[in-house]
Amino acid sequence: MDDFEKKIPKIVAKQKEFFNTNKTLSIDFRLKALMRLKNAIIRYEDELTDALKEDLGRDSLAAYFCDVGSLILEINETMKGLRKWARTEVHFSGLVCFPSVLTKVYKMPYGTTLIISPFNFPILLSLGVLTASIAGGNTAVIKASSKSPNCTALMQKIIKEIFPMKYVTVIGGGHDVADCLLTQKFDKIFYTGSPRVGVHVLEEAAKNLTPVALELGGETGNWCVIRKDADIKDAARKIAFFKALNSGQICININQVAVAKEVANEFVVELKRAYLKQLGNSPLFNSEYPKLINERAYDKCEKDVSDYKDRVYFGGHGNKETLRFEPTIIFPVDIDEAIVNRELFNPILPVVTYKDSEIDKLLKTINSREKGLAFYLFTKDIPWAEKTMRRLQFGGGCINEVCLHMMVKGVPFNGVGHSGMGAYHGEWGFREFTYPKSVLMGQNIFNLSLREHPHNRKWKEIAIHLFER
């Protein structure tokens, strides 16, 4: 038996034992834990940005903006709101319950939680979720990605330094470790990753009836739609930034763009110009441009470009030694081609064209496919855009902007269908890691015998009909 197969059950048992001491029920205990986590992140800022550089090729500004700084903001929001979120609710029980007229709703932690995090934002999507788990009053085991080993090792060091293993711990390793963890009886599982693995997590969790939150990428990709009335230069600038960010390895990133034929040529010209302005003539030698996570991801990207080499409008080259691949525009692409019917998770951007007069047909096709994690829309017709956003199904998105919806405090981040279930960030994360427990406050005076036998009393019939109308 492998060593981790012996250790993991013991870790889970110790965490369950610690949870049962009720120490994590204290709001002060949780706030102190969050402060320790925040202080450690600030203390290890340089090491964290260095680890992100090693694993993903991120420059220090992108590393801070996307992982470290965003994590600090998440902790700050949680600490500020926690007492209010955790407050016991008091409800009027109703006359039918008289004289027991008060019912309380307690916000209860699930217990011992499992957090399975991905490689693309290894710090934020591990410790950001941990923030919600701690806020809810849980203990936590984090299974961090083996694809970002430097970040995983550093998180192990940080968490070991500030928390005992019986409260929070970080475990590395591959799929075998994750599968071993999934056999344990956790009280809540939070998984971020692909829909394919999400199905496996649900299957394993179902064996113990464990509640699960899933944050997944779009099975058929996140769409961006550009109408003919859009500010094309503005759209191109924002899309170029977003598609280059983390080399396209972002669950909410644009997978493909649908551009009105009337402005399609103008758009690809402006997009190319935006890439060159932001990354220079040689992105492969730009130290600010991130790399793909491993050779497998690089090979997959290279094959996709090779399959469409006759339609590469811009980019199309890579360096396997550095794992960098240029932002690549493939134009034009039909809406039914394979490359726009699956998540890419790389810097390739297929551009589909459509007649602006047939926008409803395009949206119907998009909505008939698996629900995306994000959707982006560029147009000057804001009333139409808002109406469109209300009727399409996806996790979240922007009108005339990209990605920033997930930076807004107080709103949820979530998917739907194949892009996930459950929500988090701020109070939504607290809700995800707690469950409501209703307790009626009974009275032993002025009790009416309405519910008791005998029932064949006219006054009881009148009273019940009166109270339950």
Side-chain angles (χ1 to χ4, degrees), residues 243 271 275 289 301 304-306 308 311-318 325-331 344 346-351:
K243 197 63 183 178
L271 184 60
Y275 276 134
Y289 184 57
C301 181
D304 281 337
V305 171
S306 178
Y308 287 84
R311 282 179 276 174
V312 172
Y313 179 84
F314 173 75
H317 303 96
F325 205 98
E326 293 175 330
T328 300
I329 305 170
I330 299 178
F331 173 75
L344 297 173
N346 58 40
I348 301 172
L349 187 63
V351 179

Side-chain angles (χ1 to χ4, degrees), residues 357-369:
S357 60
E358 298 179 355
I359 182 64
D360 289 338
K361 179 181 177 182
L362 171 74
L363 294 176
K364 185 177 180 180
T365 299
I366 292 173
N367 211 35
S368 69
R369 297 178 181 177

